[in-house]
Amino acid sequence: MLDFVMRPLASAGRGTVKTLGSVGRAWVLFAGAAGALRHPGIWGPQLVPQLARIGVASVPIALFIATFTGIVMSLQASYTLTGTIPLYFVGTLVGKTMMLELGPVLTGLTLAGRVGANISAELGTMRVTEQVDALETLAYDPLAYLVVPRVIAGIVMFPIVVLLAMTVGIVSGWFTALQLLDMSSPEFVKGLRLLFEPWDVWFAIIKSVSFGAVVTGVGCFYGLQTERGAEGVGRSATQTVVIASMIILCLDAFWAATLL
Amino acid sequence: MDFKDGGIMDRRREIMVGLVVVLGIAVGVVGTIWLQDGWGRDRVSLRAASTSVGQLMEGASVKFRGVAVGRVESVAVVPSGEAVLIDMSVRPDLIIPSDAAVLIAPESMFGDWQAEIIRRGDYDTHPYLEYPGEGVLPGVALPDFSRLTATADEIAQNLTTISERFEVAFTEETAQNLGRAIDNLGEVSDQFSEIIDQQAERFDALAERVDASTQELGAAARAARVSFERVDAIVADGQVQKLFADAGTGVENLRRLTENMDASLTDLQTAARQADATFARLDALLVALQDEDGSLGRLLADPALAEGALEAVAQMRDLLSDIQQNPRRYLSFSIF
């Protein structure tokens, strides 16, 4: 009876300690990475390759997802608005949704899988094969060499990828409206401009910056925390995707509550 | 892991990164400007004042004659709180009317509002706010849908009250009275219809007469027109002046005739008096004759004398005849 009661409590306590320990280690990591910014000679040469891997290489998948998101948005908007609301609101709905929500969030979730898992697996493999220890032996700061360029690349390239994805999504929705919904370009543009605010773009950029930092930061954290060989690498990659996606959705709600 | 990348790879990677970054930033900037409808257009500022702006927000459309010509840049309450100033940017080639005003109204039924530049004379019944300041257009905001809904709700409540009162007043007796009133109304309607039919016949006859009279009047008018045309021709030919001149001459002659007649009348009066005297004498003579007074009287009274006179006359006639036939027997004429 006593064990029946104490075991869940012990489990809860362990989970809490583990979570707090992870949060603490994460803060230590990020604080160390912030301190490592003072070594641009170390992370500078790695920045362009990371920009290319995290940003440029992610553009195709982001645009692919945005294209079909725009098409589906346009079709579903016309299905929803038929008969009661003027069809030019398809443009409004596609534009607003792509800028405020689907552009940043879908791109963030997609890159959480692609970039976050990639970083976690790469750094996890380096950890389990003791390459990180070798860096320390060679007097390279692992945070400056591994973490800083990735996080900076994520912060810089996520907004760029999101802007491109938003544009492609809106254009694909526009094209769908013209071809499948019997709408004219002036109608779609009228709806697109109807409720547009420049702040919508800034909102998307702010969100995507935070998503870039989270995805790369979580990937680096779980990658550097990897233990127990190949199994640990896979687990780290999985944890990275799950945690990064959860944080992205939480941040999405947070920014919506605080900025809109 | 590569600690050092090759130079060519680095170069390609840098180009790709730079291309994507520039492209992303360009897309964001160009798209934002394009969606703001502010691409490469010069704008001029307009300011309007109103007591309220409804749901008008920054970025709303500014229209003129239904055409979008700009957008609302800002909406702000003046410090005193008595007005709302609306700053707008419009196309520079827009020529607004001299009596321009701004009508703030819903653009559609979905909550978006617009500021429309209008001629105040076209909507003069609205309570425009005249706010002091150079170039500040008077403005007025129409009630939004919520106010209209509230008004409609109030009307509905009033109708409900009326219907309730109607239900109270409309009893069975009222219904019966109303039925009777409707029946009476039907009878009155029938009678009225009969009267109308009768009056219609009279009106037909009257109309025929009026038609005949009209035709006669028309003929008279035509004749009068002919006469007037003649008169007009006469007037035009100057015959009237001649007629008047002749008439003047006639009057003069008449006046002279009158004078002559007056003189003749005087002579006639004199002659009458003389005749009267003559008749008096004749009367006296006849009296004398009747009284066988004088030679003639005795002659008339004595047959022998009368016969002698006749014989003397016959002899006288014979003598005259002989003288005419043989004048040298009785007359001898010589110069020397």
Side-chain angles (χ1 to χ4, degrees), chain B residues 201-279:
Chain B
E201 294 175 358
R202 295 178 182 175
F203 275 121
D204 289 340
L206 184 62
E208 290 177 358
R209 293 175 190 171
V210 168
D211 184 53
S213 302
T214 304
Q215 291 178 356
E216 292 175 0
L217 281 173
R222 284 191 293 275
R225 188 175 64 181
V226 171
S227 300
F228 285 133
E229 288 174 353
R230 288 176 183 167
V231 169
D232 186 56
I234 291 168
V235 170
D237 292 344
Q239 295 181 12
V240 171
Q241 286 80 359
K242 186 179 178 183
L243 193 65
F244 284 152
D246 294 344
T249 306
V251 170
E252 181 64 24
N253 293 335
L254 189 61
R255 187 179 60 79
R256 289 177 186 172
L257 179 62
T258 305
E259 289 176 356
N260 293 336
M261 286 180 67
D262 189 38
S264 301
L265 188 59
T266 305
D267 295 342
L268 191 60
Q269 288 175 347
T270 306
R273 283 193 295 271
Q274 290 175 354
D276 190 38
T278 304
F279 284 134

Side-chain angles (χ1 to χ4, degrees), chain A residues 46 48-49 51-52 56 59 86 89 126 135 145 157 160 163-164 167 174 189 192-194 196-198 201, chain B residues 1-3 5 10 13-14 16-17 20-21 23-25 27-28 32 34-37 58 107-108 110 112:
Chain A
Q46 296 301 312
V48 172
L51 288 172
V56 177
V59 168
F89 273 93
M126 290 177 69
L135 283 174
Y145 189 80
M157 293 307 291
I160 301 296
L163 283 173
L164 292 172
T167 305
W174 185 352
V189 172
L192 197 59
R193 287 174 170 168
L194 183 62
F196 173 75
E197 297 288 339
V201 178
Chain B
M1 185 180 75
D2 297 327
F3 281 80
D5 291 314
D10 279 348
R13 204 174 278 157
E14 288 168 359
M16 285 302 296
V17 170
V20 170
V21 170
L23 185 63
I25 293 173
V27 163
T32 302
W34 178 69
L35 286 176
Q36 277 186 295
D37 196 21
E58 182 182 328
E107 187 176 19
S108 70
F110 300 99
D112 43 335

